[in-house]
Amino acid sequence: MADEPQKKPHLSALVGHTNGLTKPASLAAATRAGGGGGGGGGGGGSATASSKKLVIKNFRERPKLPDNYTQDTWQKLHEAVGAIQSSISIKYNLEELYQAVENLCSYKVSATLYKQLRQVCEDHVKAQILQFREYPFLVHRNDSLDSLLFLKKINKCWQDHCRQMIMIRSIFLFLDRTYVLQNSMLPSIWDMGLELFRNHVISDKQVQNKTIDGILLLIERERTGEAVDRSLLRSLLSMLSDLQQVYKESFEQRFLEETNCLYAAEGQRLMQEREVPEYLHHVSKRLEEEGDRVITYLDHSTQKPLIACVEKQLLGEHLSAILQKGLDNLLDENRIADLTQMYQLFSRVKGGQQILLQHWSEYIKNFGTTIVVNPEKDKDMVQELLDFKDKVDHIIEVCFQKNEKFINLMKESFETFINKRPNKPAELIAKYVDSKLRAGNKEATDEELERILDKIMIIFRFIHGKDVFEAFYKKDLAKRLLVGKSASVDAEKSMLSKLKHECGAAFTSKLEGMFKDMELSKDVMVQFKQYMQNQSDPGNIDLTVNILTMGYWPTYTPMEVHLNSEMIKLQEVFKTFYLGKHSGRKLQWQTTLGHAVLKAEFKEGKKEFQVSLFQTLVLLMFNEGDEFSFEEIKMATGVEDSELRRTLQSLACGKARVLIKNPKGKDVEDGDKFIFNGDFKHKLFRIKINQIQMKETVEEQVSTTERVFQDRQYQIDAAIVRIMKMRKTLGHNLLVSELYNQLKFPVKPGDLKKRIESLIDRDYMERDKDNPNQYHYVA
């Protein structure tokens, strides 16, 4: 009905819950109110607009408790707590008990109630210790069966205690949330239970030692590969953590000490027994196991000291030994997975990366030095350097996570070992580039060639004496351009661009001049051909001339040979044409660089030969006769002795034998006779007869290097004069320091001193009369 008061909220029985309980509505309040008000539980009906207004008035005076209420109520509560502790059913309704506690608290007996509750709990916990004192204590820790039974017993005691305290707290929740909460010095009912358990059970030395011994024994067994009850460990270690400092002070310290001893012994033993990859794999496995142990049953706070302990004993104590025993092998065999694992493990330990860096650098220097300093490896030196560089780059990228420290130290190490042998690496790099840019190199596509040149430039960057490279590169470039042996003009220009970017415009100016000469020569020849068409007797020979600027090209030794009259006449025609356009210039013919195409008739038919000028002069002799001796050919051609022998070898002893040598043999001797081979046969119409290349002699290499050395003297002299002219007066040490900054090639202090003495002798500078280490510029 509309004017009836709402029904009293329904109070359900309380159940224990670890997360606390919601306070039920107060029975006393409901009684005083004379009926339900607004927002309690679910009411009966809903009020309508015509409902009477309900007015609630306070009691005029506080109701009195019935006689013996406090004592009787406590007795009921005591019985209930006893039933919980004995695991028997409680006589009373839980709601009734909760309400009883609230009523007692409302009448200011909270302090007494708390003390009484604490005393009942303490008496019960004290009684628990008896079962453990009666339990046989171990003499030997390794008696694992007794130890396990004991752990299960202590765990059951702990679990029972927790369950009981949850139920007790649910009944005394009003006390916990009012009186206890308002008194900061008092522990909550749950904390009081923990305190009692700690003080009367776990603080007992025998119980505590046996519990921790048992836990440590289980962990030790698990570390040796046995299966153990992890839930038991988790529960017991959670107990120690809940009991505040017991975990830290009593368990963790002993646990870390035993861990330390275990892994110290294991590290020493396994370093002797196992190879490095297997050892590193074992370390990773151990670290993973200990990490899992923390997740599964140890307190999270133990993770850092535990992992640090494993890292120190299995890694930190053996860093140098691991590297000395296994790093070189791993790098030699390119064991990517093992190197990755090593880097990751060493990065975990203080100083690990630094010592790995040092050994990494030493390995590169030692391995690189074996490539560079051994003359027997000169043939393959550059390719081995490129392969080695690719290998270390891959290791840095994949294994060392592109660590900048490893990249920078690798560069320093390359620079160190490649300059242990002055000049030779620079020379061989130049020759390697020549082999890649020369015509007939079918090894690579344009894209692959570009990649190879990029890699070459990285190696080139490490070299100190780049002028040696320039000298040999220029010599080989000249051959490629003049004999038309360059594989690709684009590749040549690309290489030139790379050198310019790396070393500056001054470094490549002469090389660029060589290309410019070749392009200008093409324009000159177009004009010369037009000029020849206007001549009355153009002749039977087509002449092509390359005009070379002397300062740009390598120095060639002129060789006087006997050209036939038609050739001499054509040379004079060109000379007249060229000097008529460019007065004041001097032309010097380089016969060693000349080549020609000859037409010949054999029984089989006509052929064309691509030959050098020396080969041309020899073959043209056979228009006058069928047989000539070595001496006759030498007299007629004027070709220098060794050059002529190689020329005749190429014509009579090679694959295309236009001449027949008598007697037969590979070498041309004095008195040998040469006969025209009329029966010559070849499947091709145009045949290229390669001149047998005289191997580059040691003298030629020394000569090129000497020219570089001479150029350096001029550069040192110019730098000294330039500095002194600017400074006027300068001390010896400051002058030397400034020279080191300006010169782009390696130089010894002794060489600088010689150049300074030379300039003093030539009156460019003078010594101070009072201080011999002070120099003055002489204007």
Side-chain angles (χ1 to χ4, degrees):
M1 288 183 7
D3 58 353
E4 280 182 357
Q6 288 181 319
K7 291 181 181 178
K8 183 177 72 177
H10 172 69
L11 294 177
S12 58
L14 293 172
V15 291
H17 196 281
T18 54
N19 294 325
L21 301 163
T22 306
K23 173 186 165 186
S26 168
L27 289 176
T31 306
R32 288 198 298 272
S46 58
T48 63
S50 59
S51 302
K52 290 181 180 179
K53 190 171 183 181
L54 180 64
V55 179
I56 300 173
K57 295 180 180 179
N58 290 333
F59 290 121
R60 287 180 185 154
E61 59 183 39
R62 187 181 178 90
K64 290 182 181 178
L65 284 174
D67 293 340
N68 299 327
Y69 179 80
T70 304
Q71 187 178 347
D72 294 344
T73 304
W74 167 243
Q75 190 58 41
K76 285 165 62 177
L77 291 170
H78 190 186
E79 283 180 35
V81 170
I84 290 169
Q85 290 172 340
S86 304
S87 298
I88 58 175
S89 59
I90 306 169
K91 295 180 190 176
Y92 309 103
N93 184 287
L94 290 178
E95 182 181 333
E96 181 186 340
L97 295 172
Y98 179 93
Q99 187 60 59
V101 171
E102 184 175 349
N103 291 340
L104 289 176
C105 290
S106 300
Y107 284 90
K108 308 296 183 189
V109 289
S110 301
T112 306
L113 185 60
Y114 183 83
K115 286 177 187 174
Q116 288 172 321
L117 176 63
R118 179 186 173 91
Q119 189 61 51
V120 171
C121 291
E122 186 169 15
D123 292 342
H124 176 72
V125 171
K126 277 182 179 179
Q128 298 306 305
I129 197 66
L130 298 175
Q131 62 178 313
F132 299 111
R133 285 188 176 147
E134 292 165 3
Y135 200 87
F137 280 87
L138 302 181
V139 178
H140 300 291
R141 182 178 143 186
N142 290 334
D143 193 347
S144 57
L145 183 60
D146 270 359
S147 177
L148 184 60
L149 292 172
F150 177 84
L151 291 180
K152 287 181 176 178
K153 193 171 184 69
I154 196 80
N155 184 52
K156 183 177 184 306
C157 178
W158 165 249
Q159 295 293 343
D160 289 346
H161 174 77
C162 290
R163 188 178 65 256
Q164 291 160 13
M165 289 309 300
I166 288 168
M167 286 293 289
I168 291 167
R169 179 178 176 267
S170 69
I171 293 170
F172 289 85
L173 190 62
F174 193 86
L175 177 70
D176 208 25
R177 289 185 171 177
T178 54
Y179 173 71
V180 175
L181 204 58
Q182 291 159 12
N183 289 269
S184 58
M185 299 302 291
L186 291 177
S188 68
I189 292 172
W190 174 258
D191 288 341
M192 174 193 74
L194 294 180
E195 184 185 302
L196 293 173
F197 195 86
R198 181 176 63 251
N199 292 344
H200 298 293
V201 179
I202 291 301
S203 288
D204 184 278
K205 280 299 170 190
Q206 286 183 310
V207 172
Q208 187 180 112
N209 289 341
K210 190 163 182 180
T211 303
I212 292 170
D213 280 349
I215 292 171
L216 292 173
L217 180 59
L218 278 185
I219 295 173
E220 182 185 311
R221 285 169 54 195
E222 188 181 49
R223 280 172 169 164
T224 58
E226 288 186 50
V228 298
D229 187 346
R230 286 185 141 204
S231 61
L232 176 63
L233 279 171
R234 182 165 54 246
S235 178
L236 289 169
L237 288 167
S238 174
M239 172 188 76
L240 297 183
S241 293
D242 288 346
L243 299 176
Q244 296 177 1
Q245 295 305 312
V246 177
Y247 182 91
K248 278 281 174 198
E249 293 173 1
S250 302
F251 167 75
E252 188 179 78
Q253 189 176 351
R254 279 189 59 192
F255 171 67
L256 292 175
E257 284 171 5
E258 294 207 2
T259 302
N260 206 56
C261 293
L262 170 75
Y263 287 125
E266 184 172 279
Q268 293 287 348
R269 177 172 54 81
L270 294 182
M271 273 301 296
Q272 301 295 324
E273 295 175 2
R274 298 192 181 183
E275 293 302 315
V276 167
E278 289 77 21
Y279 182 80
L280 292 175
H281 181 71
H282 177 79
V283 175
S284 289
K285 183 166 168 279
R286 281 304 202 192
L287 286 166
E288 191 179 325
E289 286 172 3
E290 296 303 337
D292 178 58
R293 218 156 261 132
V294 172
I295 293 168
T296 309
Y297 53 76
L298 292 170
D299 192 86
H300 184 70
S301 64
T302 308
Q303 181 174 22
K304 195 171 180 180
L306 172 61
I307 299 302
C309 172
V310 181
E311 288 171 348
K312 179 178 184 292
Q313 294 302 339
L314 294 185
L315 285 172
E317 297 292 330
H318 307 286
L319 292 175
S320 293
I322 290 170
L323 293 172
Q324 287 165 7
K325 186 177 181 181
L327 180 61
D328 287 6
N329 288 339
L330 296 184
L331 290 168
D332 286 342
E333 295 168 16
N334 210 27
R335 302 271 287 272
I336 298 297
D338 293 328
L339 287 166
T340 303
Q341 188 172 55
M342 177 180 280
Y343 175 79
Q344 289 169 348
L345 289 173
F346 273 54
S347 298
R348 300 176 69 134
V349 184
K350 186 179 180 183
Q353 264 195 22
Q354 191 56 43
I355 195 167
L356 180 57
L357 265 173
Q358 292 165 7
H359 280 73
W360 162 251
S361 173
E362 286 305 311
Y363 174 81
I364 293 175
K365 288 175 191 171
N366 294 337
F367 192 92
T369 302
T370 60
I371 297 173
V372 169
V373 300
N374 186 357
E376 293 177 6
K377 286 194 168 187
D378 283 359
K379 183 182 175 185
D380 302 315
M381 179 200 289
V382 179
Q383 189 56 55
E384 285 191 27
L385 285 173
L386 290 172
D387 293 343
F388 184 47
K389 180 67 169 53
D390 282 345
K391 175 179 170 177
V392 297
D393 282 347
H394 183 66
I395 289 169
I396 287 173
E397 184 175 352
V398 177
C399 308
F400 299 160
Q401 299 174 2
K402 300 180 186 176
N403 188 316
E404 283 292 329
K405 291 179 181 176
F406 283 83
I407 294 170
N408 294 334
L409 198 59
M410 176 271 290
K411 290 177 181 175
E412 288 175 25
S413 304
F414 260 82
E415 190 174 344
T416 300
F417 77 70
I418 210 167
N419 291 295
K420 280 189 175 179
R421 187 179 176 193
N423 305 335
K424 198 65 182 178
E427 174 193 332
L428 293 174
I429 289 171
K431 288 178 179 175
Y432 184 86
V433 175
D434 175 56
S435 73
K436 295 298 174 187
L437 293 177
R438 203 183 303 147
N441 175 29
K442 308 293 184 188
E443 297 173 25
T445 62
D446 290 345
E447 293 80 7
E448 288 169 339
L449 182 58
E450 189 69 17
R451 280 199 296 274
I452 290 169
L453 295 180
D454 283 334
K455 288 179 179 180
I456 282 286
M457 288 308 300
I458 292 170
I459 302 293
F460 169 74
R461 200 169 288 147
F462 299 131
I463 291 170
H464 289 161
K466 292 181 170 62
D467 47 356
V468 175
F469 170 89
E470 182 198 10
F472 282 97
Y473 184 81
K474 183 165 76 170
K475 188 158 67 73
D476 293 331
L477 175 62
K479 284 182 186 176
R480 294 198 298 277
L481 293 178
L482 296 175
V483 189
K485 280 192 172 181
S486 189
S488 160
V489 175
D490 289 341
E492 293 282 7
K493 294 283 180 73
S494 173
M495 185 64 192
L496 207 59
S497 170
K498 294 180 199 301
L499 289 169
K500 189 172 185 176
H501 178 75
E502 183 66 32
C503 304
F507 186 84
T508 56
S509 59
K510 291 181 180 179
L511 303 176
E512 288 173 328
M514 292 164 73
F515 280 95
K516 196 172 182 182
D517 279 352
M518 296 302 290
E519 288 165 8
L520 289 173
S521 295
K522 287 178 184 176
D523 296 338
V524 170
M525 290 320 298
V526 170
Q527 296 168 18
F528 178 63
K529 285 196 170 26
Q530 292 171 348
Y531 175 81
M532 288 299 290
Q533 286 172 0
N534 298 326
Q535 296 295 308
S536 56
D537 182 16
N540 297 323
I541 304 175
D542 287 334
L543 177 68
T544 303
V545 180
N546 289 316
I547 300 101
L548 315 179
T549 306
M550 192 168 282
Y552 293 160
W553 297 76
T555 305
Y556 300 106
T557 306
M559 189 182 292
E560 291 295 329
V561 294
H562 303 153
L563 301 175
N564 64 28
S565 57
E566 203 170 355
M567 289 180 179
I568 294 170
K569 180 184 172 185
L570 203 51
Q571 277 188 348
E572 290 302 319
V573 171
F574 180 81
K575 188 175 179 182
T576 304
F577 156 76
Y578 185 78
L579 295 180
K581 285 183 170 294
H582 306 281
S583 60
R585 294 192 182 179
K586 182 182 176 183
L587 287 178
Q588 183 183 64
W589 295 92
Q590 293 289 352
T591 54
T592 53
L593 303 174
H595 55 277
V597 177
L598 295 180
K599 293 178 179 178
E601 287 192 22
F602 298 94
K603 289 176 184 177
E604 189 185 54
K606 292 182 179 181
K607 298 286 183 186
E608 285 187 1
F609 295 113
Q610 283 182 280
V611 285
S612 71
L613 182 60
F614 298 153
Q615 290 171 326
T616 302
L617 296 178
V618 171
L619 290 174
L620 288 177
M621 283 184 66
F622 288 88
N623 285 334
E624 309 300 325
D626 288 337
E627 182 178 328
F628 296 96
S629 68
F630 172 74
E631 286 73 19
E632 287 170 332
I633 296 171
K634 184 176 179 181
M635 183 71 68
T637 60
V639 177
E640 185 267 331
D641 188 279
S642 61
E643 196 70 46
L644 181 60
R645 289 179 194 274
R646 291 191 302 110
T647 301
L648 288 168
Q649 257 186 323
S650 68
L651 296 170
C653 308
K655 289 182 179 178
R657 298 187 180 185
V658 188
L659 304 179
I660 298 169
K661 187 171 89 73
N662 189 13
K664 292 180 179 180
K666 288 185 178 180
D667 296 323
V668 175
E669 307 291 347
D670 293 347
D672 284 356
K673 294 194 182 324
F674 295 87
I675 305 156
F676 181 72
N677 181 11
D679 297 324
F680 176 81
K681 291 182 180 180
H682 203 282
K683 60 182 178 180
L684 299 176
F685 171 69
R686 175 170 282 194
I687 304 140
K688 181 174 177 59
I689 304 177
N690 289 321
Q691 180 82 332
I692 292 174
Q693 292 296 316
M694 184 169 60
K695 286 185 178 178
E696 190 175 42
T697 60
V698 174
E699 290 77 13
E700 279 184 303
Q701 292 176 1
V702 169
S703 167
T704 306
T705 310
E706 280 296 327
R707 284 199 299 276
V708 172
F709 182 74
Q710 193 59 53
D711 285 344
R712 287 181 180 180
Q713 310 307 302
Y714 299 143
Q715 289 181 54
I716 294 170
D717 288 356
I720 293 171
V721 171
R722 189 164 57 245
I723 293 165
M724 291 306 300
K725 190 174 183 179
M726 184 172 66
R727 298 290 186 89
K728 306 301 182 191
T729 298
L730 203 59
H732 177 81
N733 291 338
L734 285 173
L735 175 58
V736 169
S737 175
E738 191 66 35
L739 284 169
Y740 276 126
N741 289 334
Q742 290 197 16
L743 297 172
K744 294 180 179 177
F745 48 83
V747 61
K748 296 174 184 173
D751 294 335
L752 293 180
K753 196 171 182 182
K754 285 178 187 175
R755 300 321 305 160
I756 292 169
E757 295 293 341
S758 170
L759 290 170
I760 291 172
D761 292 343
R762 289 179 279 159
D763 295 330
Y764 283 94
M765 53 197 284
E766 63 183 9
R767 270 197 175 85
D768 188 273
K769 292 174 184 176
D770 300 324
N771 183 359
N773 280 328
Q774 193 87 356
Y775 305 120
H776 302 289
Y777 176 67
V778 177

